[in-house]
Amino acid sequence: MFTGFVTSKQSFKRKPNPESLNYLINNMDLNRSSTFMIGDRQLDVDAGHNAGVKTILFDPDYMIEDQGDPDYVAHSFDEISKLIE
């Protein structure tokens, strides 16, 4: 279940700028040390690092060559679920 989100209509700076992530972190009162940015591009990993949260690169097909420097790489939703428990 999602309880918060951002859209392009909110005019946040584009990733890898962490502005939209910081907005969610602050408005949802999230703890950065236990918050994950999950994405399928290096851009997502960079945004997560810029926001000071853990990152998970989602690569279900083992095709992403330029991964950046994610904290974790997951190839299935089950792997992600285990990482964020």
Side-chain angles (χ1 to χ4, degrees), residues 9 14-15 18 25 27 30 40 44 48 53 55 70 74 80 82:
K9 292 180 183 178
R14 296 176 58 108
K15 292 183 277 186
I25 290 165
N27 284 307
L30 301 175
D40 61 357
D44 301 316
V53 300
T55 57
I80 291 173
K82 289 176 185 173

Side-chain angles (χ1 to χ4, degrees), residues 27-41:
N27 284 307
M28 304 299 293
D29 197 31
L30 301 175
N31 181 336
R32 287 181 195 274
S33 66
S34 59
T35 298
F36 290 83
M37 170 61 171
I38 303 169
D40 61 357
R41 299 176 297 166

Side-chain angles (χ1 to χ4, degrees), residues 6-12 14:
V6 295
T7 70
S8 60
K9 292 180 183 178
Q10 290 167 289
S11 301
F12 291 114
R14 296 176 58 108

Side-chain angles (χ1 to χ4, degrees), residues 28-80:
M28 304 299 293
D29 197 31
L30 301 175
N31 181 336
R32 287 181 195 274
S33 66
S34 59
T35 298
F36 290 83
M37 170 61 171
I38 303 169
D40 61 357
R41 299 176 297 166
Q42 179 182 355
L43 185 66
D44 301 316
V45 171
D46 292 343
H49 286 302
N50 290 339
V53 300
K54 296 177 187 171
T55 57
I56 300 174
L57 180 71
F58 183 53
D59 184 10
D61 299 316
Y62 296 80
M63 295 181 60
I64 301 173
E65 292 180 20
D66 194 0
Q67 297 182 348
D69 187 23
D71 295 296
Y72 305 96
V73 176
H75 301 287
S76 69
F77 290 117
D78 286 337
E79 285 182 68
I80 291 173

